[in-house]
């Protein structure tokens, strides 16, 4: 093969050795200390099984697939009407937001949707991403050639990084005029913090004024415990003219292995909506019927109650971590409306060095903040998806931990 033929933008992506290094270090530690029980608070994946209402719906759908009278082959690319109608009613109608089934596109995950949406925009448009954040927004734009030069500090020359940290209360400042795509993630992975209504109003006003598009990832909306906080970008007046929203059943209903999500492109952005429909019809053949019936069941009264209970369980873990670390004298953020706790390390402590220290002293695994962007350095992410008893045990080990040697 002639390597000149390859997309050279891929060469700009650093090997993601952070995560393979983590796996290697855990394995090496366990081999050296077989007697110590490692507790993993690094996982960004759910651990509780699917709820009964979902399982029952899946069994029913499997039965239909066995009967010639109810068997289904290819479905509509943007999703079956039953699911799009359920989403419109439950996610938007219930909040008095008018989003119709034709504005909802069912897919097999938000990761692919947030990664693919950029191909509807011009190859040289400018991009703003929060820092730190879920790495997919950045990497998908680098692959498409919008990153520019990779600089020694790890940043890409053409990307605008919207720093979100303690000094701005994790609320990004406006990007420069001329920014075309603004990615947002609220509640945020990894910081667990929520964008305020005022921040979102400013960003929507900016987008309406400049013609920019907001790409709003609401993967953790169901973890918000306070009804006054913004659950969907369409609560902000004018957002239907400038914002695309991504929702996933992965974290809200335990579908990380089952795969189902939806993306909303409002009629007010008709050209983009039609382009996405065209894109999905060409490159995607829909989510399987059984899974769409499973997703529909999340919105039944039983499904809602059962998934709410699962989320409440994770959020109790989040509270245990948050309060436990606070009592032990640490500064932490997040964990109130998201399954992530963002732990500020003592001044000058590097997050990867801290990973090694925490593993060695406590046999607890977390994720170095530097894996989520330059502003993540000096922070450490713990997740609430673990087993409750092990989570409590991890917190008590951390409370006993000696101070990190600076
Ligand atoms: C987990 C996660 C998703 C969900 O991705 P799926 O492909 O739907 O499983 C999306 N965005 C963020 C920020 C996430 O953490």
């Amino acid at each position: 093969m002639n390597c000149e033929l390859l997309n050279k933008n891929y060469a700009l992506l650093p090997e993601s050795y952070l995560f393979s290094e983590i796996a290697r270090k855990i394995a090496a530690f366990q081999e050296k200390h077989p007697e110590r029980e490692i507790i993993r608070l690094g996982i960004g994946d759910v651990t509780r099984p699917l709820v009964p209402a979902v399982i029952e719906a899946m069994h029913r759908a499997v039965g239909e697939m066995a009967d010639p009278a109810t068997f289904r082959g290819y479905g509509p690319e943007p999703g079956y009407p039953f699911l799009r109608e359920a989403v419109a009613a439950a996610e938007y109608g219930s909040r008095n937001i008018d989003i119709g089934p034709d504005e909802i596109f069912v897919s097999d995950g938000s990761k692919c949707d947030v990664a693919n949406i950029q191909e509807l925009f011009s190859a040289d448009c400018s991009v703003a991403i929060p820092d730190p954040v879920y790495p997919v927004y950045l990497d998908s734009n680098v692959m498409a050639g919008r990153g520019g030069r990779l600089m020694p500090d790890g940043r890409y020359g053409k990307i605008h990084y919207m720093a979100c940290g303690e000094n701005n209360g994790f609320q990004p400042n406006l990007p420069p005029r001329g920014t075309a795509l603004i990615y947002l993630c609220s509640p945020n992975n990894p910081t667990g913090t929520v964008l305020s209504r005022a921040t979102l109003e400013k960003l929507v006003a900016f987008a309406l004024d400049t013609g920019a598009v907001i790409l709003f990832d609401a993967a953790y909306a169901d973890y918000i415990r306070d009804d006054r906080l913004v659950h969907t970008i369409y609560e902000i007046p004018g957002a239907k003219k400038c914002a695309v929203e991504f929702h996933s059943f992965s974290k809200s209903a335990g579908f990380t292995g089952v795969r189902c999500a939806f993306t909303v492109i409002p009629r007010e952005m008709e050209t983009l909506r039609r382009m996405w429909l065209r894109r999905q019809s060409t490159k995607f053949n829909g989510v399987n019927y059984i899974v769409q019936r499973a997703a529909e069941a999340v919105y039944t009264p039983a499904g809602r109650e059962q998934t709410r209970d699962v989320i409440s369980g994770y959020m109790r873990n989040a509270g245990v971590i948050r309060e436990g670390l606070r009592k032990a004298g640490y500064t932490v953020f997040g964990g109130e409306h998201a399954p992530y706790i963002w732990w500020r390390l003592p001044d000058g402590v590097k997050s990867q060095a801290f990973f090694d220290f925490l593993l060695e002293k406590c046999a607890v695994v977390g994720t170095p903040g530097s894996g989520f962007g330059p502003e993540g350095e000096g922070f450490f992410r713990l997740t609430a998806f673990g087993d409750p008893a092990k989570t409590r045990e991890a917190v008590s080990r951390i409370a006993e931990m000696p101070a990190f040697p600076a």
Side-chain angles (χ1 to χ4, degrees), residues 40 51 77 95 158 209 223 250 273 280 316 365 399:
R40 292 166 195 261
V51 300
E77 285 98 350
R95 297 180 200 282
K158 284 163 77 176
D209 182 33
Y223 287 77
S250 281
R273 192 187 73 85
Q280 292 299 79
R316 275 193 296 277
V365 172

Side-chain angles (χ1 to χ4, degrees), residues 44-352:
D45 192 358
V46 296
T47 54
R48 303 297 305 151
L50 297 171
V51 300
V54 165
I55 292 294
E56 284 156 24
M58 288 179 97
H59 279 304
R60 272 196 305 276
V62 168
E64 288 180 61
M65 294 301 253
D67 181 342
T70 48
F71 167 77
R72 316 271 177 140
Y74 288 125
E77 285 98 350
Y80 281 102
F82 64 77
L83 178 55
R84 300 166 85 193
E85 280 157 19
V87 167
E91 301 280 358
Y92 300 104
S94 65
R95 297 180 200 282
N96 290 319
I97 296 168
D98 176 27
I99 293 284
D102 55 324
E103 298 164 284
I104 293 161
F105 296 84
V106 176
S107 79
D108 61 357
S110 281
K111 186 190 211 174
C112 43
D113 287 357
V114 295
N116 290 331
I117 193 81
Q118 49 75 29
E119 68 178 66
L120 305 190
F121 296 90
S122 72
D124 57 356
C125 72
S126 61
V127 174
I129 56 155
D131 179 14
V133 86
Y134 185 58
V136 176
Y137 320 141
L138 175 66
D139 291 359
S140 56
N141 277 288
V142 170
M143 289 171 177
R146 296 192 190 86
R149 219 160 45 84
L150 178 56
M151 300 186 301
D153 66 356
R155 291 180 170 85
Y156 290 89
K158 284 163 77 176
I159 300 288
H160 179 73
Y161 293 79
M162 298 184 289
C164 298
E166 270 182 275
N167 43 19
N168 58 11
F170 298 90
Q171 307 296 313
N173 295 330
L174 289 177
R177 281 190 87 81
T179 301
L181 302 181
I182 304 167
Y183 289 83
L184 299 174
C185 181
S186 179
N188 182 277
N189 176 8
T191 68
T193 58
V194 179
L195 295 176
S196 71
R197 192 173 296 270
T199 298
L200 292 170
E201 284 170 353
K202 266 198 296 189
L203 286 159
V204 166
F206 173 88
L208 292 174
D209 182 33
T210 63
V213 172
I214 292 172
L215 301 167
F216 189 79
D217 187 344
Y220 298 96
D222 288 343
Y223 287 77
I224 296 175
R225 308 284 87 187
D226 181 344
D227 275 344
R228 290 164 304 181
L229 293 171
V230 175
H231 287 61
T232 152
I233 189 76
Y234 304 120
E235 288 177 50
I236 309 298
K240 280 201 218 165
K241 297 200 192 86
C242 64
V244 174
E245 181 161 280
F246 304 90
H247 271 263
S248 174
F249 294 94
S250 281
K251 313 306 172 9
S252 64
F255 276 46
T256 52
V258 174
R259 313 304 305 145
C260 198
F262 62 90
T263 289
V264 181
I265 308 184
R267 279 175 234 117
E268 284 81 349
M269 302 169 82
E270 185 58 7
T271 308
L272 192 70
R273 192 187 73 85
R274 290 191 157 277
M275 284 172 70
W276 186 247
L277 180 59
R278 188 74 176 81
R279 192 254 172 225
Q280 292 299 79
S281 306
T282 301
K283 299 193 178 184
F284 181 61
N285 240 338
V287 175
N288 76 70
Y289 175 72
I290 299 160
V291 165
Q292 292 194 57
R293 282 295 185 197
E296 179 192 29
V298 171
Y299 296 118
T300 60
R304 280 169 168 285
E305 196 183 311
Q306 293 163 2
T307 50
R308 217 177 7 237
D309 286 349
V310 173
I311 290 176
S312 300
Y314 291 140
M315 291 307 292
R316 275 193 296 277
N317 287 344
V320 165
I321 300 171
R322 187 182 150 85
E323 296 318 315
L325 266 62
R326 287 208 159 169
K327 270 203 200 110
Y330 297 106
T331 301
V332 296
F333 302 94
E336 289 177 296
H337 308 289
Y340 298 119
I341 288 85
W342 193 233
W343 182 0
R344 190 184 71 196
L345 302 176
D347 283 349
V349 175
K350 293 272 192 259
S351 60
Q352 291 192 50

